[in-house]
Every structure is written in structure tokens, then in C-alpha cells.
Amino acid sequence: MDKLAIIYTILLFVVYQIMFKITGFSINTAVYGLFGMLIFFYYSTDNLQLEKRSKQNPIFINLIVFMIFLFFYKDISIFTVFLVFSVYQKILYELLKKISYVKAERYSPNLINKRNLAKFLIDSISVIVGIITAFILKFSFNWYEYLRKEYVITYLGIFLVGYVYKKVSEKSWSYTNILDVLNILILNIGTAIVFLLFMYINKEHIFPVTTLLIILILSVSMQLLGRYVFRLKRYYGRPHKNIKDIKRTLIYGAGEAGAILAREYMTNPLFPYEIIGFIDDDKKKIGSEIYNIKVLGNKESLEIIIKNEKIEELLLALPSIHSSEIGRIVEKIQKFEGINIKTVPSISEILEGESLASQIRDVRIEDLLGRDEIVINDGSIRELIEKKTIFITGGAGSIGSELARQIAKYNPKKLITLDVNENDIYFLELELKRKYPNLDLVSEICNIRERDKLEFLFNKYKPNVVFHAAAHKHVPLMEHNPEEAIKNNIFGTKKVAECADKYGVERMVLISTDKAVNPTNLMGASKRACELVIEHMNKVSKTTKFMAVRFGNVLGSNGSVIPIFRKLISEGKNLTVTHKDITRYFMTIPEAAQLVIEAGAIGKGGEIFILDMGKPVKIYDLAKSMVKLSNANVGIDIVGLRPGEKLYEELLYDVNSAIKTENKKIFITKIEDGVVDITKYFDKLEQCIKNPNVEEIKKIMKELVVSYKEVKYN
């Protein structure tokens, strides 16, 4: 044992001996023997090793030892010794444990928490005062003749054992909630029951049951009163706010999220909003108050309330609301000039350990796009990822990096991200290692066109699953540089797939696009050719299941329309839209990544999965909403369609031919553009990229992808 353990043992023995003397027991060999047994049990369960986690609660050990003593001596006073000793032991243990941490230089805690000590004393006094008051009420001025010190010591001892071991003093009194009240009730009721049993066993003392009920009521009342005083101090004793430009604010939603915001407004002197009232669609709540803030009306009375109360800010405290409803609210509010709309994040976005008020943000365009929350099969994804080696090509891109984030949650054996963009893949590595310190992550700089490097990496890591997200995707650029789309998209996919087959990969998932459906541009045609490569490899491979996942635009991805619009708004420039009727499907990056992984899990090989993208959105309407949300003084310019650009994106050749899967947001499409043997075109495509000729490349691609048709708009 170290020095602290020896000191701990000596101090335990001192109080052990004192308690036996107070209760009238003589210190003999048996008493010393029982103490030796106690220390033996402490040692064997690591209760003397202050830097270790004990294997057994010491109160259980104390109970066993003192029960042995009771068995031999038949004296119920031993119970009092047990109670006092247990409380003392716990307090001493925690004190010496802190000293051991200081000694080990782990941290330097306060050895005695004055606030917790004060709580301990107040609650102890509450119990004692409750006992004395109960006897005064029962026996009037003769109360001291009936109250025995054994009653006080025993009752308080039982209470403190539960109090100390439940760490009641560590609970914040300023934030006492219904659960804390319930715990106090259980502690006091348990104390009363144990005390009554003790009195029943000890025939020498007769304790009136009515008095015990009075003690219970008074003791609980005084403990709760102390906590209520602290809450009142927190609510009404906060300093005056000195925040500049504080906004008169209305909270839409008088549910749990709204109540949290109201509570923080009452308690946080730096809360940046002046809460005027609530709006809620539940008519039963109208007129009621939450933390002294009134529910003023419902959505029908919203306009009147905004005018009468001179509201400047609206907080949407509706984390579970559907985005279509948010859109309707925003549209209604935008009629009023100068009204800022903010929202709390969705349930999936709320950060643990952070106050809800600190997470208030501006309403984003993503909130208005009508996307239902996705439900994934956690079990199938875990089976695909857990304890497996995972490859992600294009790991630094929008989809690739989000795939890495999602996969990291499922405890892969090893995660390898490949990309040519060294900066972005480096920052991704820092992010993942910070968030998942135990993740075995490797970042590799690799161009998927380089077969030798791919061979080396596949041979080195022997991946189980490959997600192929590396691709050129910008439509206008690929129209001007078609040979690059061929090199990177088609032959890059071919090389990755051949390596997957050669090195025994279990599954390879290609990230495709809606632009592969009836393509009108070379980028879309090249992605359809990638799908053909995957279909071919699935037919010839004996080891690997190949599949593709097709979806539309993802919100916030590199080069997508929303980041471009945001940049233009920030610069005070007009937004540019190519056509007033142009529509696109949109999906958030996280949900796209989740569905890709699940599709990879449920695939049996050869499928082209399509993701339910919801309803298509007009880019012009999107631009108008973004201008309104930002309160920016900018316009919208129609600039005409770009080369290869479609008015409408398609996810299927025939919607009715889609095959349902176990996930309602994932379908399998049947391709009906004929049977094409892509292997016959590899030589032709290689010749084209050696001597790039746009028209020649287009000619070959139209033969390969029979649905590829250039469309020109006036």
C-alpha cells in the first residue's frame, strides 16, 4: 500500500474505535478482527487503491462486516456505528482520492468544495430541524422528554448514507428539476422506512408512526425550500443586461425547445434577445405562461402580434417541424420588412452539451426544401462497415468526405481516403482524428488514372469495401475538355474496378449521378459509361459485387448552386440563373452519404440504385427564397442555358419500372437503353484521348451511350 492508503486505513480505524466507544462496546480482539476483515475486503476490491476504480461499493462491504458483528453480539446499536462509519468512510475516501490526483499531477481539484459542503450542512440541518419540529408539534413544550439522541443520530445517519452515496450535494440547486425533486422524495421516504424497521427491530424504543410522517413532510419541505430559494435567486437576481441592440423577439413554438429558450432568457444575462411572448398552434396553450412569458396567440394572430408588439426577431423553436411548414411560416413573415427569422437546429443537428440558445442560427435555404427525415438501417450498415477495411476514392470531395465522416461512426478496422487534393484531404484527416481519436485512418495522395499506384495501395491495404466517388463533374468544363471526362471518369473507374476484382474486394459502390439518365452532355454520358463499366465488372468478377448509386444535386457541395448564390449575395451582386424554368433535385450531403452506404449494404451485385430525391425545385424560386432570407438588395438575372445543360433532371428512364427496396428512399432502376458491351469501345476511346477531338469523342460516346442526345435551347 502507498502512503495515502496507510493514512486512509489509520483514519478509518480511529473513527471505527471512537464509534464503538461511544456506543458502549469494549474494544476487544473480535472488534480488531472485524476491522482486519474490513480492510482485507477493501484491499481485495481496490477500495484502498485510490487511483483505481473500486470493484465493489464499500457500503456493501461495511454491511457484510457489521452484520457479522450483529450476528455474534445481538446488539442493534451496531447499526448506528455502521451508518456513521459509512458516511465518514465515503467522505474520507473522496477527499484522499482528490489528494492522490494532485499527487499524480493529473489535475488540481479543490480538496473541499465549499458550495457542496454548504449544501450538505443545510440538508443535514433540515433533517435535524424537521425531527425537532415534529416532536414540538406532537408533544408541545415537553418535546425534549420524548426526543432521544439515538433517534436523531440514527435517522440522520440513514439519511446521510443515501445522501453521500447518491452524491446529492453535487446536484445544482439553481437548476433543480422534477427528477431532482423525485430523488429527494425517494431518499427521504427510504430513510423513513429503514428507520421504522430499525425501531421495530429494536424493542427497547417505541417510536410513534405519526411523528415519523411529520418528520418526513417537514424534512422534505425544508430541503425543497432551500432549492427553491436558489432558483428564485437565479431567476430574479440576475444582473441587468448591457447588450447593445437587443431585439424584441417572438418565439414560435411553446414546446420543450421554446421552454428551454425562455428559461435561458430568464437566467442568462447575456441572452441576446428580449422575449416578448410565444406563438403556438395549440389553442389550449394560448393565454398560459411559460417562465412568466405569455403565449400570445397562434399563427392566425401572428401578423397582429408582430405589429402590436413591434417584433424585430422571430425564433422558430420547432426542431421537429417539417421543412414545408417552415417554408410557409417564412413566406408569411417575409411580408414584414426588417423581421429577422432564426431557428433552432433540427433534432439530428442539436449538439450535445451545448445550450439550445447558443445553437440558434439563421434559417437556411436547406430548411425550406421539403425533405423528410431519412431512416436508415443501422444494423445493415454496421455489418457492412464494422471491423472492415474501407477505401474511399475522391475522399476529399463533398460526397467522399461525408462518406468518411459517416463510416467513421461505425468502427471500421481501417479507413483509407484517396484523393489528389492534398489540402482538403489533410484537413479531413485532422477533423476525423480529432473527432474519432481511435480511428485507424490513412490518407493517400493518389490519382485514380495511375494504375501502378492503385495496384500498390490495393495490395498494401487489402480493402473489403470500396466507395468510388472520384470523378470530374462540372458539365461546362467537361464539354470543353471531353478527353478529361474519358480519362478520369471512365478509365479511372475501370482501373479502380479491376483492382477491386483482382484483390478480392467484397463490394464496390460507384457514386453516379442523375445526369447519367438520358444524358445531354459529355459529363453525363461519361457517368453512364461508368455505370456500364460496373455492370460489366459485376458479370465477369467471381469475387466482388459491383453496384452504382445514382442521385441528383447535393446541397452545399463544391461548385453547386447554393454556395455560388451565397457568395454572390455576400458580394452584393445579382444572382444568375440560366433559365427561369430550370429545375433540379436536391439532397443534403449527410443524407446522400447515409443512403449510399445503405445501398452498398443491401446490394447483391449489378444494381443501379436510385435515391428518392423528393420534389424537384425551380432554381429561380430557390434564388428568390435566398434573396428574401438574406434581406439582400440584389436582383436575379437570366443568362441562358450553358452548353450541355438540361432544363429538367431525370433519375429514372421509367418511373414505373423502379423496384422497391427495404428502404423506402432507395430504389433499383431497370435500364432500358439496350445491351451494350463497353469493352468494344475501350480501344476507340483510348485513341480519342491521345488525339483529342471533341466531335470524334462525342460520336463515339453516342454509339456507346445510345440515350446520349445533345439538346440545344433557343
Side-chain angles (χ1 to χ4, degrees):
M1 293 192 295
D2 61 17
K3 292 180 180 179
L4 282 177
I6 294 170
I7 294 170
Y8 181 41
T9 305
I10 293 170
L11 292 174
L12 285 178
F13 180 73
V14 170
V15 76
Y16 179 86
Q17 189 168 256
I18 291 171
M19 286 307 302
F20 270 98
K21 286 183 177 179
I22 290 173
T23 50
F25 287 98
S26 61
I27 305 298
N28 54 35
T29 305
V31 172
Y32 289 132
L34 283 172
F35 184 78
M37 187 183 296
L38 188 74
I39 296 302
F40 172 77
F41 283 134
Y42 277 9
Y43 180 80
S44 57
T45 56
D46 291 334
N47 274 285
L48 292 180
Q49 303 297 316
L50 300 170
E51 294 183 7
K52 290 185 179 180
R53 185 183 178 94
S54 57
K55 299 174 184 177
Q56 182 63 60
N57 195 319
I59 196 170
F60 182 71
I61 299 171
N62 299 345
L63 187 61
I64 291 174
V65 172
F66 284 108
M67 286 296 289
I68 293 171
F69 193 98
L70 183 63
F71 178 78
F72 286 107
Y73 282 83
K74 315 291 185 194
D75 192 328
I76 202 68
S77 298
I78 192 66
F79 190 68
T80 304
V81 179
F82 158 71
L83 292 173
V84 176
F85 180 83
S86 296
V87 173
Y88 173 83
Q89 178 270 326
K90 179 64 176 176
I91 294 171
L92 183 61
Y93 178 82
E94 293 296 332
L95 182 62
L96 291 177
K97 193 171 183 178
K98 287 182 178 181
I99 294 173
S100 73
Y101 273 46
V102 173
K103 183 181 174 184
E105 297 183 347
R106 295 183 184 179
Y107 64 88
S108 301
N110 294 324
L111 296 180
I112 298 175
N113 189 311
K114 294 179 181 178
R115 183 178 288 269
N116 289 350
L117 181 61
K119 294 175 190 174
F120 179 87
L121 293 174
I122 291 170
D123 281 336
S124 299
I125 292 169
S126 297
V127 172
I128 295 170
V129 172
I131 296 170
I132 294 171
T133 306
F135 271 81
I136 292 172
L137 293 173
K138 180 74 175 176
F139 301 105
S140 188
F141 295 106
N142 297 323
W143 64 272
Y144 54 86
E145 295 179 6
Y146 297 92
L147 180 60
R148 303 169 63 97
K149 66 177 182 180
E150 290 88 345
Y151 297 161
V152 179
I153 293 172
T154 304
Y155 193 96
L156 182 62
I158 298 168
F159 174 81
L160 290 180
V161 167
Y163 190 91
V164 170
Y165 279 89
K166 284 290 184 182
K167 298 181 178 180
V168 178
S169 64
E170 296 180 10
K171 307 290 184 184
S172 173
W173 284 15
S174 300
Y175 293 89
T176 300
N177 53 39
I178 191 67
L179 187 60
D180 295 326
V181 174
L182 185 61
N183 287 331
I184 289 170
L185 283 172
I186 293 171
L187 172 61
N188 282 272
I189 291 170
T191 299
I193 293 170
V194 174
F195 180 78
L196 192 63
L197 289 172
F198 172 73
M199 289 294 114
Y200 178 77
I201 296 169
N202 189 3
K203 303 293 185 184
E204 295 181 11
H205 303 298
I206 300 176
F207 197 89
V209 177
T210 54
T211 306
L212 186 61
L213 288 173
I214 297 171
I215 291 172
L216 179 61
I217 293 168
L218 289 173
S219 181
V220 169
S221 299
M222 292 186 70
Q223 291 166 52
L224 294 179
L225 178 63
R227 287 154 174 81
Y228 187 66
V229 169
F230 271 76
R231 282 182 66 99
L232 288 176
K233 183 178 178 243
R234 184 166 64 91
Y235 287 141
Y236 299 107
R238 60 195 181 100
H240 180 72
K241 296 177 182 180
N242 292 314
I243 301 175
K244 294 181 179 179
D245 301 323
I246 189 166
K247 305 282 187 182
R248 291 178 63 82
T249 302
L250 195 64
I251 297 179
Y252 198 127
E256 187 65 30
I260 292 171
L261 292 175
R263 185 174 64 195
E264 183 145 355
Y265 166 68
M266 293 294 295
T267 59
N268 183 3
L270 300 178
F271 192 81
Y273 309 97
E274 183 184 0
I275 307 299
I276 304 302
F278 287 98
I279 289 288
D280 199 279
D281 294 334
D282 187 351
K283 293 180 179 179
K284 296 176 183 176
K285 293 181 180 178
I286 296 174
S288 62
E289 291 187 355
I290 300 172
Y291 294 105
N292 295 325
I293 301 172
K294 195 170 184 177
V295 182
L296 301 174
N298 55 18
K299 60 185 175 184
E300 279 75 26
S301 53
L302 183 58
E303 294 183 28
I304 298 171
I305 293 168
I306 288 175
K307 287 179 180 177
N308 292 346
E309 299 295 339
K310 297 180 173 57
I311 299 300
E312 301 172 277
E313 202 104 34
L314 183 76
L315 299 184
L316 298 178
L318 303 163
S320 301
I321 193 174
H322 193 275
S323 53
S324 58
E325 184 61 27
I326 295 178
R328 283 192 285 271
I329 296 170
V330 169
E331 190 175 352
K332 199 170 186 176
I333 300 300
Q334 284 173 342
K335 297 176 182 176
F336 302 92
E337 290 187 10
I339 301 288
N340 292 319
I341 309 171
K342 296 185 181 292
T343 184
V344 298
S346 65
I347 296 296
S348 60
E349 293 177 309
I350 291 176
L351 302 173
E352 281 187 37
E354 299 286 337
S355 71
L356 193 59
S358 67
Q359 300 180 60
I360 293 172
R361 57 168 173 77
D362 292 327
V363 175
R364 302 183 303 220
I365 192 65
E366 292 92 325
D367 300 321
L368 310 179
L369 290 178
R371 301 289 306 165
D372 292 325
E373 185 179 358
I374 65 167
V375 178
I376 60 172
N377 187 335
D378 195 69
S380 64
I381 292 177
R382 191 169 297 281
E383 188 177 346
L384 175 71
I385 301 299
E386 195 170 40
K387 308 298 183 185
K388 302 285 185 65
T389 299
I390 312 296
F391 256 40
I392 303 173
T393 69
S398 304
I399 296 297
S401 61
E402 186 59 31
L403 282 171
R405 293 183 189 96
Q406 299 289 340
I407 288 168
K409 299 176 184 177
Y410 292 94
N411 190 31
K413 178 182 177 181
K414 188 183 287 291
L415 177 60
I416 299 99
T417 57
L418 285 72
D419 210 290
V420 292
N421 188 332
E422 62 173 313
N423 289 327
D424 286 352
I425 204 167
Y426 171 71
F427 290 125
L428 175 66
E429 180 179 290
L430 291 179
E431 176 193 337
L432 291 178
K433 286 188 174 180
R434 185 170 59 250
K435 194 171 182 180
Y436 305 98
N438 297 323
L439 175 67
D440 189 353
L441 174 67
V442 181
S443 302
E444 295 282 1
I445 305 300
C446 176
N447 192 323
I448 59 170
R449 303 177 185 183
E450 299 174 12
R451 182 182 293 275
D452 290 344
K453 184 64 180 288
L454 285 173
E455 291 261 7
F456 171 78
L457 295 176
F458 271 84
N459 184 50
K460 180 179 179 180
Y461 296 113
K462 301 290 191 306
N464 302 105
V465 182
V466 174
F467 291 95
H468 180 45
H472 287 324
K473 65 177 185 178
H474 293 281
V475 172
L477 285 175
M478 293 304 102
E479 287 297 294
H480 293 296
N481 302 274
E483 70 280 4
E484 297 303 315
I486 307 300
K487 290 178 190 176
N488 203 70
N489 293 0
I490 300 177
F491 285 107
T493 298
K494 178 175 179 289
K495 289 168 184 175
V496 173
E498 287 173 345
C499 285
D501 176 51
K502 181 177 178 179
Y503 292 95
V505 171
E506 297 170 15
R507 292 170 182 265
M508 175 174 165
V509 183
L510 166 72
I511 309 302
S512 189
T513 171
D514 55 359
K515 293 175 178 63
V517 186
N518 298 323
T520 59
N521 52 67
L522 275 163
M523 196 284 287
S526 71
K527 291 299 287 186
R528 174 61 188 139
C530 293
E531 294 176 352
L532 293 174
V533 170
I534 292 301
E535 289 178 348
H536 165 70
M537 290 302 301
N538 192 70
K539 291 176 183 176
V540 300
S541 177
K542 297 179 180 179
T543 58
T544 308
K545 296 176 180 178
F546 293 87
M547 61 209 74
V549 181
R550 185 190 287 169
F551 53 88
N553 301 276
V554 288
L555 295 167
S557 65
N558 297 331
S560 69
V561 65
I562 290 176
I564 293 172
F565 282 174
R566 282 183 179 141
K567 185 170 177 55
L568 288 170
I569 289 171
S570 68
E571 294 173 355
K573 296 178 180 177
N574 286 357
L575 307 191
T576 56
V577 178
T578 57
H579 196 285
K580 207 166 184 176
D581 296 324
I582 195 166
T583 62
R584 291 292 183 267
Y585 293 93
F586 286 99
M587 177 178 280
T588 66
I589 296 176
E591 65 181 331
Q594 289 171 357
L595 291 174
V596 165
I597 298 170
E598 184 167 355
I602 64 178
K604 296 179 181 171
E607 303 97 336
I608 295 180
F609 293 100
I610 53 174
L611 305 184
D612 178 8
M613 300 295 296
K615 297 179 180 178
V617 178
K618 278 192 175 185
I619 302 299
Y620 185 76
D621 293 341
L622 191 72
K624 287 197 300 182
S625 295
M626 289 190 69
V627 171
K628 286 180 181 178
L629 283 175
S630 62
N631 289 318
N633 187 24
V634 299
I636 302 172
D637 297 331
I638 308 298
V639 297
L641 290 166
R642 299 172 299 176
E645 188 173 31
K646 282 185 178 182
L647 267 180
Y648 311 100
E649 295 292 5
E650 306 163 271
L651 292 176
L652 300 167
Y653 289 88
D654 180 6
V655 176
N656 297 319
S657 71
I659 302 169
K660 293 181 179 178
T661 68
E662 56 195 65
N663 190 313
K664 66 179 184 178
K665 288 194 173 286
I666 302 175
F667 300 86
I668 301 170
T669 181
K670 291 181 178 179
I671 307 300
E672 298 179 357
D673 57 351
V675 179
V676 180
D677 184 2
I678 192 170
T679 59
K680 295 179 180 179
Y681 291 87
F682 287 146
D683 289 340
K684 291 183 181 179
L685 290 170
E686 282 184 346
Q687 290 301 317
C688 281
I689 60 181
K690 288 178 181 177
N691 299 293
N693 183 295
V694 174
E695 294 305 318
E696 184 64 25
I697 292 174
K698 285 183 178 181
K699 181 182 176 183
I700 295 172
M701 290 300 295
K702 286 174 183 177
E703 293 176 12
L704 172 60
V705 182
V706 294
S707 56
Y708 170 33
K709 292 181 176 63
E710 289 184 271
V711 178
K712 298 187 184 295
Y713 299 98
N714 295 324

